[in-house]
Amino acid sequence: MTTSIRLKIILGENNSQKVILQDGMPASVGDLTKEIAKQCNLQGNFRLQFMDPDFDNDFMNLMSTSEIQDKSTLKVVFLTALSDCNDLSIPHENASQSGSACSSSAQSLSSCDALILCSSLSTSTNSEPSVSFSSESSSSMKSSAWPAVFMVPRFTYDAELKLEQGNAAFKTQGIFRSPDPKLKSSILDGLAEEMVKYKVYPTDSEYDQVAAALIEKHPCLKDRCSVTGYSGWKASLKYKLANYRTKLRNLGCTEVTVNSVKHKPDGISSPAYRVKKPRKAEVNYCPPHPQGETEETLEEVRKTLLIEVKKKNNENNRITTIPLASTFFSKLDGYSGKLMKIFANRGGVIGQKIKHLLVPTTQTDDIEVKRECVIKALCAYLNEEPTRLFQECFVRAEMEDSLGDVGVVLEGHKVLQNLCSVPYAAAMLMGLIYGLNLSYPPELRYTFEALDGNKLSNKVQTLKNKLFCV
């Protein structure tokens, strides 16, 4: 008879839930994730962390269900498009609570007529935009951006049996397993099929991530003659992906066909006509129209999008598939308490400046005021000037009774106006930076790194480490 498993699931600060697995522990982390999402009614992408007794009960990423047992404690860490594993992660239920905040009136703002955000932003190719394709398209298999933590898939049944025996022998006797050709082929095929769901052309660091995840889940496969322990698997993965792309090219997948030396107009004799290595953030592949769509129907969609972006509470759901404002606010609200503690410990001139910026939070309980003050204090803490991000134009005396206007200005042009609050304008600015592929202004580099959470500098990484220690 199967013994049920009881787990404590931490969903956020002062928010946890009991989950009972009636059929025992699932065989894979993916199956466990689906069951937790079902019982806790969770939406969106998230990863699981378990309380590891080997590291003073710190939470570590869950790579195998063998790490947990009855009455174990797991933590849910949500992943979003605005911030990955490097960013601060907040439970989804907070997003629904803070998503309604943008409906608040502009009366909660101080009497300012316009808010100008980052007028010095310029177009750049510093960051690679994430592009998701319709699941109806037969030429592309990508369904989401590259994951923050690559989850090793479950291989064929016989391969899993061999790996289970190998991991058991490694754990008890320290014996490494040299995979036979059939087992190695099964592993590489499974990894390749999982990788092309996200990218057909992974980067070198992403190959490292996949190979490292493989030997972490199956330590018996570790390379004994490698410094990293996975160099051989990394090289094999590159060969496997190259062969896999050839297979896709022969099947007519346009995403790889466009890079083929045989893909050239009629009458061109050069074997490498217009074939070049793409630069960073360069998009040289234009996917075909989704099934059932034409130039005319897509033009109608474009016109509809232009109407949508003019709406006051539009959240760019069509671009990122994630509610922009609620996600931004949930993360900001979830870590505001810890940030306030860190700000309070800052001394010197910057500490005094931060205290002055946080004064309005002691005079009102308005959540919009608190959010605005926390963002300004974050700028000051990172030794950047908040006025570079926020500029206030006070109304004239005869217009004091009118409501203030909040907007976004890029390169001297007002691109958004009549926004509901200052923090909402900041969220819209982050969406514009992502959607238009804009570079961060040098004078606000660290502030945007902290809000974005990707490729952190040493200064912002230090702040992140302090957040986890508060």
Side-chain angles (χ1 to χ4, degrees):
M1 179 178 180
T2 304
T3 304
S4 61
I5 302 295
R6 295 160 295 176
L7 299 176
K8 176 183 178 182
I9 309 299
I10 298 178
L11 303 174
E13 188 174 356
N14 299 324
N15 185 13
S16 60
Q17 184 171 333
K18 179 180 179 180
V19 167
I20 300 178
L21 306 175
Q22 299 290 355
D23 298 329
M25 187 64 64
S28 66
V29 176
D31 294 337
L32 176 61
T33 301
K34 293 179 182 179
E35 183 63 26
I36 292 177
K38 178 181 178 181
Q39 294 196 30
C40 297
N41 193 24
L42 301 179
Q43 300 177 8
N45 296 327
F46 62 90
R47 66 172 180 266
L48 296 175
Q49 293 185 337
F50 72 101
M51 189 176 290
D52 194 339
D54 294 337
F55 295 92
D56 299 326
N57 287 332
D58 283 347
F59 282 99
M60 310 291 287
N61 291 338
L62 181 64
M63 307 302 294
S64 172
T65 54
S66 62
E67 301 284 357
I68 55 179
Q69 54 188 352
D70 188 32
K71 295 186 178 180
S72 291
T73 299
L74 302 181
K75 182 168 71 172
V76 172
V77 180
F78 281 86
L79 308 175
T80 68
L82 289 179
S83 54
D84 52 21
C85 69
N86 290 327
D87 196 14
L88 319 175
S89 301
I90 306 299
H92 180 80
E93 69 164 13
N94 292 341
S96 61
Q97 298 174 359
S98 53
S100 61
C102 63
S103 62
S104 60
S105 172
Q107 293 177 346
S108 63
L109 304 174
S110 57
S111 58
C112 60
D113 180 58
L115 180 77
I116 304 178
L117 299 176
C118 288
S119 59
S120 60
L121 288 172
S122 60
T123 57
S124 173
T125 58
N126 285 349
S127 59
E128 180 180 355
S130 299
V131 183
S132 59
F133 300 97
S134 170
S135 59
E136 297 178 355
S137 176
S138 60
S139 60
S140 178
M141 294 162 291
K142 292 196 293 293
S143 58
S144 59
W146 187 268
V149 177
F150 185 86
M151 304 300 295
V152 176
R154 186 170 181 84
F155 305 119
T156 59
Y157 183 74
D158 58 326
E160 287 291 336
L161 283 178
K162 294 178 182 179
L163 290 174
E164 184 179 354
Q165 295 170 0
N167 290 329
F170 175 81
K171 188 174 182 180
T172 57
Q173 306 175 34
I175 299 176
F176 293 95
R177 179 176 187 126
S178 297
D180 56 78
K182 183 178 180 181
L183 174 59
K184 186 173 183 179
S185 178
S186 177
I187 293 173
L188 294 176
D189 285 339
L191 292 176
E193 291 178 5
E194 187 70 17
M195 292 171 70
V196 296
K197 293 179 181 179
Y198 310 105
K199 275 190 176 181
V200 182
Y201 295 94
T203 62
D204 189 73
S205 61
E206 288 164 348
Y207 279 112
D208 281 319
Q209 183 181 356
V210 175
L214 174 64
I215 65 170
E216 184 174 356
K217 182 176 181 180
H218 303 292
C220 66
L221 298 176
K222 187 175 182 180
D223 293 337
R224 286 167 286 183
C225 300
S226 170
V227 175
T228 59
Y230 56 76
S231 298
W233 287 106
K234 178 182 176 181
S236 298
L237 276 172
K238 288 188 175 182
Y239 281 113
K240 173 59 68 172
L241 259 293
N243 294 334
Y244 203 94
R245 286 192 293 267
T246 301
K247 183 189 297 184
L248 296 178
R249 188 178 296 113
N250 294 334
L251 292 174
C253 178
T254 54
E255 189 168 0
V256 291
T257 303
V258 72
N259 294 321
S260 172
V261 294
K262 298 180 181 179
H263 180 76
K264 55 184 182 294
D266 296 335
I268 301 298
S269 58
S270 173
Y273 177 77
R274 289 184 179 176
V275 175
K276 60 185 180 68
K277 182 179 179 180
R279 297 178 180 178
K280 185 178 181 180
E282 183 181 40
V283 179
N284 64 352
Y285 166 66
C286 183
H289 299 328
Q291 291 183 359
E293 299 288 353
T294 63
E295 289 284 351
E296 292 73 19
T297 58
L298 292 178
E299 177 63 18
E300 293 298 324
V301 173
R302 186 187 70 84
K303 293 179 180 179
T304 303
L305 285 174
L306 290 177
I307 297 175
E308 289 292 328
V309 298
K310 294 179 181 179
K311 293 183 179 180
K312 183 175 181 180
N313 294 325
N314 172 67
E315 294 181 357
N316 270 355
N317 282 7
R318 292 177 182 267
I319 298 177
T320 63
T321 69
I322 291 177
L324 175 60
S326 60
T327 303
F328 181 85
F329 293 147
S330 67
K331 292 185 174 297
L332 184 63
D333 295 342
Y335 279 82
S336 290
K338 292 185 177 182
L339 286 172
M340 296 283 277
K341 292 179 181 179
I342 295 176
F343 295 157
N345 294 329
R346 187 63 184 262
V349 176
I350 294 180
Q352 294 298 322
K353 184 176 183 179
I354 291 176
K355 289 181 180 179
H356 176 72
L357 292 172
L358 295 177
V359 167
T361 62
T362 63
Q363 300 173 347
T364 179
D365 294 330
D366 193 330
I367 186 63
E368 300 294 341
V369 174
K370 181 178 179 181
R371 290 168 176 167
E372 179 182 351
C373 292
V374 168
I375 297 175
K376 289 181 177 179
L378 178 62
C379 292
Y381 183 86
L382 296 172
N383 202 23
E384 294 177 338
E385 183 55 51
T387 55
R388 293 282 188 175
L389 181 61
F390 303 97
Q391 294 184 13
E392 297 180 354
C393 293
F394 291 93
V395 298
R396 292 174 295 181
E398 63 269 24
M399 299 176 61
E400 287 182 345
D401 294 333
S402 62
L403 294 177
D405 181 23
V406 181
V408 178
V409 174
L410 299 178
E411 298 182 347
H413 300 282
K414 184 181 292 187
V415 295
L416 291 176
Q417 58 185 356
N418 298 326
L419 302 178
C420 58
S421 68
V422 174
Y424 185 74
M428 293 299 103
L429 175 61
M430 293 296 297
L432 287 171
I433 291 174
Y434 174 81
L436 301 179
N437 192 25
L438 302 178
S439 63
Y440 298 144
E443 62 272 17
L444 291 169
R445 167 193 170 190
Y446 298 116
T447 299
F448 281 102
E449 279 186 7
L451 295 175
D452 183 16
N454 190 23
K455 297 181 180 179
L456 302 182
S457 60
N458 292 335
K459 179 183 288 189
V460 182
Q461 184 65 47
T462 301
L463 173 60
K464 176 192 171 185
N465 294 339
K466 289 182 178 180
L467 280 171
F468 286 106
C469 296
V470 174

